[in-house]
Amino acid sequence: MSDRVPAREIARLAAPALPVLAAEPLYLLVDTAVVGRLGAVSLAGLAVAGVMFALVTSQLTFLSYGTTSRAARLHGAGDRPAAVGEGVQATWLALGIGVVLCGIGELVARPVAEALGNGGAIADAAVTWLRVALIGAPFILVSLAGNGWMRGVQDTARPLRFVLAGNALSVIGCLVLVHGVGSWIGLGLVGSAVANVIGQAVGAALFLVALWRERAAGHVTLRPDPVVLRAQLAMARDLVARSLAFQACFLSAAAVATRFGAASAAAHQIVLQLWSFMALVLDAVAIAAQSLVGAALGSGGVQRARALAGQVTRYGLVFGIAFGVLFAVLAGVLPPVFTPDPAVLAAVPIPWWFFVALQPVAGVVFALDGILLGAGDAAFLRTSTLAAAVLGFLPPIWASLVFGWGLAGIWSGLTAFMLIRLVAVGTRTRSGQWAVTGAVRPR
């Protein structure tokens, strides 16, 4: 019997995962386009605040990726109640950590915005947006946990409905609240943040209802379990360190971009949001692979897991090339959708062509990240990402500030970062050392 996974099985999980992954960055693209009509200062303020908000929320990716890995192994071993139980404990962590992060974020919003935004009007705009948006941090984390356990039990249909419902409300709210309707002039930049919070609250409520129904059906208890919580925090240590490497790089990039003026910061924001959007679009196949790899290793299927690694690498490369061609064609059409400002549009082509060229590399890297995350190989991903950040991304960013390289230097750093990661995850995957079987990966 062949160990090759049928393409339709990957598509069954990837197809619903794609809009889930794309929903938040797609909303941020809409948000960027709506706020862009307020002017370069508001858009630059959103750029600074958006990076800060990502720093507060995205460090907890273990609530999604770590939970998927652990739940998928248990699901593959035939223990669905324990797999759903991983979601319960991840949700407890999400609520507790989310409240703490919200409070800390409110305290440091002003000084950090001043540092990143170089003071003045950009920093003021960033703080205005961030103080409201931080209220949604616990809701975002609950949704991450919900996505994690549902992917683990290979249910990607419900997260699709939940996330789309929340983001649809956010889009409608953003369009109305930022610019107003009729004689009402709207809230301006802060309207974007209010719309964010509304959508995030609705999405989180739907995931909580799903867990309540599992409990009502007698499948799971909603009580905290210290043993599972400790195990999740052990994996969290590696994934949080990996996320910190990402955020140190993107915070540095935002800080340096603002030093070259509002137009450069705004152009960087536009292309960076497209990068974030495409990163998650390309991650759709990786999410399917993560669930399938975890289940395969949970049931002892090493050869199946290795065959899947080869398949998703090829899929990632094909999709990356296709998207690179697409954005090359759209180079003169898409940027004006986000802003009419001539100075911003003049600065966009520099990062744009880096973004286009990196799509095939990103397709392979994100696919292999999914394989290693599904296998629970978080320690390797932590170390390789930190090395890529220190050796590849950060030096060109800060050299750009010293030598005046501008956006070209910043995006050269991202290119080096991705190439180092490509070598690292490619070598690791070929070695087969990640393919460890069992209902849980031994530490």
Side-chain angles (χ1 to χ4, degrees):
M1 181 178 177
S2 174
D3 291 309
R4 180 179 175 84
V5 178
R8 64 179 177 274
E9 181 69 8
I10 298 175
R12 180 182 68 83
L13 296 173
L18 174 57
V20 170
L21 290 167
E24 182 64 20
L26 184 59
Y27 167 69
L28 290 175
L29 287 174
V30 173
D31 195 20
T32 299
V34 173
V35 171
R37 267 49 188 180
L38 297 175
V41 171
S42 291
L43 189 54
L46 179 63
V48 172
V51 172
M52 292 173 63
F53 190 62
L55 179 64
V56 173
T57 59
S58 66
Q59 300 312 309
L60 286 305
T61 53
F62 75 90
L63 292 167
S64 179
Y65 294 112
T67 303
T68 295
S69 174
R70 291 177 56 82
R73 282 179 177 264
L74 290 162
H75 178 70
D79 192 351
R80 189 179 189 281
V84 177
E86 292 287 336
V88 172
Q89 306 312 313
T91 300
W92 279 114
L93 287 175
L95 289 169
I97 296 172
V99 171
V100 171
L101 286 180
C102 182
I104 294 174
E106 294 288 352
L107 291 175
V108 304
R110 169 59 66 177
V112 176
E114 291 283 351
L116 292 178
N118 201 27
I122 293 177
D124 290 340
V127 174
T128 297
W129 186 90
L130 189 62
R131 290 202 183 279
V132 176
L134 278 167
I135 299 170
F139 306 139
I140 292 175
L141 301 187
V142 167
S143 294
L144 285 175
N147 272 290
W149 74 263
M150 287 186 178
R151 290 171 186 166
V153 299
Q154 300 188 10
D155 178 1
T156 54
R158 282 189 294 171
L160 172 60
R161 295 195 297 270
F162 298 168
V163 171
L164 289 184
N167 278 271
L169 282 177
S170 292
V171 169
I172 295 169
C174 186
L175 292 170
V176 172
L177 295 175
V178 172
H179 294 293
V181 61
S183 60
W184 182 53
I185 63 171
L187 301 175
L189 181 59
V190 75
S192 160
V194 173
N196 263 333
V197 173
I198 292 171
Q200 290 153 1
V202 169
L206 292 171
F207 281 109
L208 291 173
V209 169
L211 281 179
W212 181 262
R213 288 177 176 170
E214 292 281 345
R215 181 258 183 194
H219 297 158
V220 70
T221 176
L222 299 184
R223 291 191 300 271
D225 184 336
V227 174
V228 177
L229 287 171
R230 283 195 296 271
Q232 290 190 349
L233 287 171
M235 178 173 282
R237 180 181 59 234
D238 295 327
L239 293 178
V240 167
R242 179 173 179 262
S243 295
L244 282 171
F246 286 122
Q247 294 309 319
C249 292
F250 288 114
L251 275 172
S252 297
V256 171
T258 60
R259 267 60 179 183
F260 293 107
S264 290
H268 177 69
Q269 165 72 0
I270 289 170
V271 184
L272 183 62
Q273 287 303 327
L274 282 169
W275 171 264
S276 299
F277 173 69
M278 290 310 304
L280 294 181
V281 169
L282 290 169
D283 216 20
V285 173
I287 289 297
Q290 187 181 355
S291 177
L292 292 169
V293 163
L297 294 177
S299 62
V302 172
Q303 292 306 315
R304 180 180 172 87
R306 289 181 174 175
L308 188 60
Q311 286 180 249
V312 298
T313 300
R314 293 189 292 273
Y315 295 159
L317 179 60
V318 170
F319 288 142
I321 292 172
F323 284 123
V325 172
L326 174 64
F327 284 106
V329 171
L330 294 176
V333 178
L334 196 53
V337 172
F338 299 102
T339 179
D341 191 301
V344 177
L345 292 174
V348 163
I350 295 173
W352 186 272
W353 292 108
F354 282 97
F355 165 68
V356 168
L358 280 173
Q359 291 308 300
V361 176
V364 174
V365 170
F366 300 151
L368 293 181
D369 272 357
I371 291 293
L372 298 181
L373 283 167
D377 201 10
F380 173 80
L381 289 171
R382 172 206 64 205
T383 302
S384 61
T385 303
L386 286 170
V390 172
L391 299 176
F393 206 158
L394 291 174
I397 288 175
W398 294 110
S400 297
L401 181 61
V402 174
F403 298 108
W405 294 342
L407 294 179
I410 293 171
W411 282 78
S412 294
L414 176 60
T415 300
F417 177 68
M418 291 300 296
L419 291 174
I420 293 171
R421 290 179 63 202
L422 175 64
V423 173
V425 295
T427 302
R428 180 67 168 184
T429 304
R430 289 179 61 86
S431 75
Q433 296 176 10
W434 51 274
V436 179
T437 59
V440 293
R441 184 183 178 94
R443 298 289 299 179

